[in-house]
Amino acid sequence: MKIKCCKTNLLAVQDTMDILKGRWKVQIIAALCYDKMRFSDLQKEIVGVSAKMLSSELKDLEINQLVTRTVLNTQPISVEYALTDYGRTLKKIIENLAEWGVEHRKKIIGKVLEH
């Protein structure tokens, strides 16, 4: 689908940005793109996010039907998050963002940082 610059498409982009806005949502989706994760593992994976903020962002993603929350029958109880089928439709977008980010970093800094 070719995107034209019109009010409908601008509104669609704004809707998308409203759902994904904030510092952490895209990172959460990216972390969940390949496998489900427990809350504590997500918090370790996403450097700098507080438990309160992670919980809030996950609730928002759950409301928008991008993430599911499953309480596991463990001691102590733990919670696992996964992308829904609908959430997985963002995987290609996340991969494209990552590719663009690598190229941008090379262009601006001249190298890619390895972790």
Side-chain angles (χ1 to χ4, degrees):
M1 174 176 87
K2 185 168 175 120
I3 296 177
K4 297 178 185 175
C5 187
C6 69
K7 288 183 181 181
T8 302
N9 286 326
L10 292 175
L11 181 59
V13 169
Q14 185 60 53
D15 289 345
T16 303
M17 296 306 295
D18 285 345
I19 292 167
L20 300 177
K21 72 181 170 193
R23 184 173 177 188
W24 307 110
K25 284 188 183 120
V26 173
Q27 290 184 61
I28 293 166
I29 293 167
L32 292 172
C33 267
Y34 301 98
D35 205 2
K36 53 191 168 192
M37 296 179 84
R38 292 182 180 194
F39 183 90
S40 58
D41 295 330
L42 269 171
Q43 193 173 11
K44 289 174 193 167
E45 186 73 20
I46 303 169
V47 177
V49 68
S50 69
K52 183 178 178 180
M53 181 56 74
L54 180 58
S55 178
S56 172
E57 297 288 62
L58 285 163
K59 283 178 189 170
D60 231 15
L61 291 169
E62 196 175 0
I63 288 168
N64 283 291
Q65 300 177 15
L66 299 173
V67 168
T68 58
R69 178 183 188 272
T70 305
V71 177
L72 302 174
N73 190 14
T74 58
Q75 285 297 335
I77 291 175
S78 56
V79 178
E80 190 173 72
Y81 292 89
L83 290 180
T84 61
D85 289 341
Y86 183 54
R88 280 192 289 282
T89 64
L90 292 168
K91 185 175 179 180
K92 185 175 173 87
I93 294 166
I94 298 294
E95 288 171 345
N96 287 337
L97 281 171
E99 288 170 16
W100 187 89
V102 167
E103 291 306 313
H104 178 69
R105 184 175 293 275
K106 278 191 228 175
K107 182 175 182 69
I108 300 301
I109 300 175
K111 63 180 178 179
V112 177
L113 297 179
E114 300 284 332
H115 287 282

